[in-house]
Amino acid sequence: MAAGRPHSRDKILAAAAEVAREVGPGNLSLDAVAYRAGVSKGGLLYNFPTKAKLMQALVQDYVTTYEAQLDQAMQGQGSLLAAHVALSAKECSETVPSAAGLLAVMAEDPDFLLPIKSLKRRLLDRLKSASPGASNLLIVFAALEGLRSMKLFDMDVFTDEERETLLADLLSSVGAARQS
Amino acid sequence: MAAGRPHSRDKILAAAAEVAREVGPGNLSLDAVAYRAGVSKGGLLYNFPTKAKLMQALVQDYVTTYEAQLDQAMQGQGSLLAAHVALSAKECSETVPSAAGLLAVMAEDPDFLLPIKSLKRRLLDRLKSASPGASNLLIVFAALEGLRSMKLFDMDVFTDEERETLLADLLSSVGAARQS
DNA sequence: ATTACTGTACCGTCTGGACGGTAATGTCAA
DNA sequence: TTGACATTACCGTCCAGACGGTACAGTAAT
């Protein structure tokens, strides 16, 4: 769990996401990942004994990264909701490399995504208790989820202008009922 | 395009979605689909000469079905936005069998989903011109997209109560600025 | 001696797709 | 009406290649 020795681990995880984007989420092969990571197949299987373990690591990596970024964004400003909006906006504006990796995980077995589901639920609970008065919390949460999923699928139909408007609306609708 | 003879075609399409749900989106095999459809592999390949063609048909099927349902919902009530909200709500409450099929398509190659992307864009344009005054149109659209994607991924974190509240809020926010 | 690999060889299984049938149905001239 | 042929809608088999995973000997650094 703690950052440790394994030199290749991170390279492999990154390579997996890259390969997934290139060959399609459902066509991720260990051979390709190993090659892309500059690691032998034996080396890959040393770090991740099975493909399933690699997938789980991909998910775990995403979850911990997201939570770390959220904590970081929180220190910038008090409101959790605002932090979540800001982070989602950032995740949508810049291309998130790990996204393709998550699609590959889902292609392998959707159950591997359960940690992300519980991450979302945990976040929603925290948001509810942090901003009990926000009547539009659910809408904002769902809208951000929509934005995020569009990016994930490369299905974002908004123009840049529309997306800016949308994010601004979300921010103002958050600011209107900020708390804690 | 017109409903015609092909007896096995529809069975195969339905079987593909079922199999995808059972074995995971990335593990859809033609053999399994053929068996599930009660058709030989040769028969499957007769209807869909390649796997890619099958995937495209899955997408096309979804698009045409959605548009037909939207037209139908439109006749019930004038507002396009309201019809879209209602349809999304329906799609979220009942399990949509074809959803798993779309995930399989994406696992194969995300580009196959482009018709759905343009469907969404077309819909957004129609919504904008039908309800020019609705300032919250983008938020509603994104929120519905979020709801839909959660169902698609089996990542719906809302309780039934929350989901009802959300949908009610969306509907009222739509009704507040209805037009055309 | 342990850790973190490399490299090669290999195995059993699965997969998309090609291919050669074939029974039923339709078409059309004699 | 009939026989000849064409098309449709499929069946069942086969195959080359890719895949996940194993096994194991070697190695360079700690």
Side-chain angles (χ1 to χ4, degrees), chain B residues 8 39-40 42-43 46-47:
Chain B
S8 304
V39 163
S40 74
Y46 174 78
N47 285 278

Side-chain angles (χ1 to χ4, degrees), chain B residues 113-128:
Chain B
L113 294 182
L114 282 177
I116 294 185
K117 185 174 180 179
S118 69
L119 164 71
K120 285 187 201 301
R121 180 66 230 183
R122 227 158 44 232
L123 179 58
L124 181 56
D125 283 334
R126 284 180 63 189
L127 286 170
K128 284 183 99 168

Side-chain angles (χ1 to χ4, degrees), chain A residues 36-165:
Chain A
R36 176 47 81 92
V39 163
S40 71
K41 191 173 176 183
L44 194 164
L45 287 159
Y46 176 79
N47 285 278
F48 305 99
T50 69
K51 196 181 187 183
K53 289 276 166 64
L54 173 59
M55 301 291 118
Q56 287 163 3
L58 242 18
V59 172
Q60 212 34 247
D61 210 53
Y62 175 82
V63 169
T64 57
T65 298
Y66 186 87
E67 284 185 326
Q69 283 182 315
L70 193 67
D71 287 346
Q72 191 183 331
M74 268 292 275
Q75 286 172 330
Q77 66 213 271
S79 166
L80 180 63
L81 223 186
H84 181 232
V85 174
L87 226 179
S88 299
K90 197 183 111 195
E91 215 173 275
C92 287
S93 60
E94 65 190 44
T95 305
V96 183
S98 67
L102 293 183
L103 290 183
V105 169
M106 195 216 48
E108 194 73 15
D109 184 348
D111 286 351
F112 287 143
L113 293 181
L114 283 177
I116 294 184
K117 186 173 179 177
S118 70
L119 164 71
K120 286 187 200 300
R121 181 65 229 183
R122 226 157 44 232
L123 179 59
L124 180 56
D125 283 335
R126 283 179 63 189
L127 286 170
K128 285 183 98 167
S129 63
S131 313
S135 62
N136 46 15
L137 200 164
L138 293 177
I139 294 185
V140 172
F141 188 85
L144 290 174
E145 206 56 40
L147 219 43
R148 198 189 304 271
S149 79
M150 286 190 202
K151 272 290 164 193
L152 194 64
F153 281 123
D154 191 25
M155 293 226 95
D156 192 341
V157 296
F158 293 128
T159 64
D160 290 346
E161 190 195 348
E162 285 167 343
R163 197 165 28 252
E164 272 175 45
T165 308

Side-chain angles (χ1 to χ4, degrees), chain B residues 83-159:
Chain B
H84 182 232
V85 174
L87 226 179
S88 299
K90 198 183 112 193
E91 215 173 274
C92 286
S93 61
E94 65 190 41
T95 305
V96 184
S98 67
L102 293 183
L103 291 183
V105 170
M106 194 218 46
E108 194 72 15
D109 184 348
D111 286 350
F112 287 143
L113 294 182
L114 282 177
I116 294 185
K117 185 174 180 179
S118 69
L119 164 71
K120 285 187 201 301
R121 180 66 230 183
R122 227 158 44 232
L123 179 58
L124 181 56
D125 283 334
R126 284 180 63 189
L127 286 170
K128 284 183 99 168
S129 62
S131 313
S135 61
N136 46 16
L137 199 163
L138 292 176
I139 294 185
V140 172
F141 188 85
L144 290 174
E145 207 55 40
L147 218 43
R148 198 190 304 273
S149 79
M150 286 190 201
K151 272 290 163 191
L152 194 63
F153 281 124
D154 192 26
M155 293 226 96
D156 192 341
V157 297
F158 294 128
T159 65

Side-chain angles (χ1 to χ4, degrees), chain B residues 46-79:
Chain B
Y46 174 78
N47 285 278
F48 305 98
T50 68
K51 197 181 188 184
K53 288 277 167 63
L54 173 60
M55 301 291 117
Q56 287 163 4
L58 243 18
V59 172
Q60 212 33 248
D61 210 52
Y62 175 82
V63 170
T64 57
T65 299
Y66 187 86
E67 285 184 326
Q69 283 182 316
L70 194 66
D71 287 346
Q72 192 183 331
M74 268 292 275
Q75 287 173 328
Q77 65 214 275
S79 165

Side-chain angles (χ1 to χ4, degrees), chain B residues 2-52:
Chain B
R5 303 304 84 58
H7 300 312
S8 304
R9 217 190 117 95
D10 293 348
K11 268 191 297 182
I12 292 171
L13 255 17
E18 285 171 39
V19 172
R21 184 160 33 78
E22 283 164 20
V23 303
N27 305 321
L28 187 73
S29 73
L30 298 185
D31 282 326
V33 172
Y35 178 80
R36 176 48 82 92
V39 163
S40 74
K41 187 155 178 204
L44 193 163
L45 258 41
Y46 174 78
N47 285 278
F48 305 98
T50 68
K51 197 181 188 184

